[in-house]
Amino acid sequence: MYKLQCSVNMLYIMVYYTSNTTEGRKALEMLRGTPNVHEEWKMIIYDYRHGNGSMVEPLEQLWRMTSHRGVKRSLILGMLLKVFQQFTGTNALHYYSTTIANEVGIDDPRIASWISAVIGFSSLILTPFTVYAVEKFGRKPLLVTSTAVTALALLQLTLTYYMRDGLSTRSFSNLVILGMGCVMGGLAIGLDPLPWVITSEIYPMWCRDIALSITNTVFWVTDTFVTFTFITFISALGYTLTFFIYTAVTFAGVVYFIFFLPETCQIPLESVSRLFEEQAVFPPCPARKTADLAVYPWYEDVRELVPLL
């Protein structure tokens, strides 16, 4: 099966600046360690030509992106990945975890700090699992599962604050801390790291730099908005409604990922952008393997360009 690829940016640079396809193919053979690179080389040339093979001004490139159906779809996906990631309140919970611990009745600042550290540690211990699972299970199942777990954990926090008056102080504080830990753990298995992986795969090479810049700008704008409005929302709406908003947005993310996120695992980078050109909705349980790409309608048109082992 097609393995995780090395970067081929240097090949595109050769094509753009020298149009020396012979040298480019030799470089690819060197990267792969084999002269049997015919199919992959054809796909690189196809992607280069599909992007019109020219270096253009940023404004002209932006215009081309807005008029390209596949790029528009992938750009919307990339931006929403960042929005859904941040509207879980992940960074707000990190920044204000000691404030929340004090609010639930933990007055000792040292204990509150340790609780914050333990909550953050839950993300650290799950990172090795994510590294292992992302190639074994695929991006889409892992991201959907992670988002669903995070949404359920936020729902638990919402209900805990809603039922606060009927709980003892100890039970209430334990449930809040447990909910925060589950949110961080749910994020760590997919929704925290995977948007960075997916956005690096879904854009065509000819506009990847600008598309990633736009996506990362959306990330920082959303992060700033959620972080700076967290205390304002709590003061105006209370903890229950604030966490309910995060819960509703995260559940919306689960639905969006199920229908609008393609599986990119084990698909060559040069063909991932083609996923968005012929369809906007993708199978909820897609075939992950390269050999099963026939589930996509464009597959027959580029079958000769897809390397199958």
Side-chain angles (χ1 to χ4, degrees):
M1 191 51 59
Y2 210 86
K3 302 297 184 180
L4 187 63
Q5 299 190 25
C6 300
S7 173
V8 294
N9 287 356
M10 59 177 291
L11 304 175
Y12 285 92
I13 291 172
M14 284 185 176
V15 174
Y16 278 132
Y17 287 106
T18 70
S19 298
N20 194 333
T21 56
T22 301
E23 291 300 318
R25 177 159 180 160
K26 287 181 179 179
L28 182 61
E29 291 175 357
M30 180 184 67
L31 281 173
R32 300 293 177 253
T34 175
N36 301 321
V37 296
H38 180 66
E39 298 297 330
E40 184 177 0
W41 182 247
K42 284 199 299 184
M43 182 161 287
I44 291 173
I45 295 298
Y46 172 85
D47 188 59
Y48 160 73
R49 291 172 180 169
H50 188 67
N52 295 330
S54 60
M55 301 295 286
V56 296
E57 293 297 323
L59 290 179
E60 182 182 348
Q61 198 169 23
L62 280 172
W63 175 255
R64 287 172 54 193
M65 289 169 63
T66 58
S67 61
H68 191 288
R69 181 174 56 184
V71 172
K72 284 191 293 186
R73 289 172 176 170
S74 60
L75 189 59
I76 290 171
L77 171 62
M79 291 189 292
L80 286 178
L81 276 166
K82 302 298 187 179
V83 170
F84 287 128
Q85 179 194 54
Q86 290 305 303
F87 262 93
T88 60
T90 170
N91 286 328
L93 290 177
H94 273 301
Y95 300 150
Y96 298 109
S97 56
T98 53
T99 302
I100 295 173
N102 291 333
E103 197 275 337
V104 299
I106 301 173
D107 298 324
D108 191 329
R110 291 175 300 176
I111 297 177
S113 297
W114 273 107
I115 289 173
S116 176
V118 170
I119 290 172
F121 186 70
S122 65
S123 299
L124 177 63
I125 61 176
L126 286 171
T127 300
F129 167 78
T130 307
V131 173
Y132 165 78
V134 67
E135 292 298 325
K136 183 174 179 61
F137 301 111
R139 280 81 159 134
K140 183 167 185 171
L142 200 59
L143 186 65
V144 171
T145 301
S146 168
T147 310
V149 171
T150 304
L152 291 173
L154 287 168
L155 179 62
Q156 185 256 316
L157 278 173
T158 303
L159 294 175
T160 298
Y161 276 99
Y162 180 75
M163 299 184 297
R164 180 173 188 170
D165 293 338
L167 298 172
S168 65
T169 302
R170 184 180 182 85
S171 297
F172 172 71
S173 61
N174 288 341
L175 286 172
V176 169
I177 294 169
L178 175 64
M180 291 174 63
C182 289
V183 169
M184 295 306 173
L187 287 164
I189 64 174
L191 192 53
D192 252 355
L194 284 183
W196 302 98
V197 176
I198 294 171
T199 53
S200 70
E201 297 175 333
I202 60 177
Y203 302 127
M205 185 63 70
W206 60 270
C207 67
R208 187 168 294 171
D209 51 351
I210 291 185
L212 284 173
S213 299
I214 294 172
T215 303
N216 291 338
T217 299
V218 171
F219 166 80
W220 286 113
V221 169
T222 311
D223 174 32
T224 303
F225 174 81
V226 172
T227 301
F228 278 91
T229 58
F230 182 71
I231 296 298
T232 303
F233 280 4
I234 288 173
S235 301
L237 305 175
Y239 280 94
T240 302
L241 282 178
T242 300
F243 283 120
F244 176 77
I245 292 171
Y246 295 160
T247 303
V249 174
T250 308
F251 271 117
V254 175
V255 177
Y256 180 83
F257 295 148
I258 288 175
F259 293 104
F260 297 99
L261 176 69
E263 179 55 76
T264 60
C265 184
Q266 296 187 345
I267 297 178
L269 290 177
E270 294 78 24
S271 65
V272 168
S273 60
R274 293 279 296 175
L275 297 172
F276 298 91
E277 293 183 16
E278 297 297 334
Q279 63 187 112
V281 179
F282 299 93
C285 299
R288 288 182 53 245
K289 299 180 180 179
T290 310
D292 294 326
L293 282 176
V295 297
Y296 297 107
W298 54 263
Y299 173 74
E300 291 297 328
D301 297 332
V302 295
R303 182 171 55 182
E304 296 300 322
L305 299 175
V306 179
L308 301 177
L309 300 180

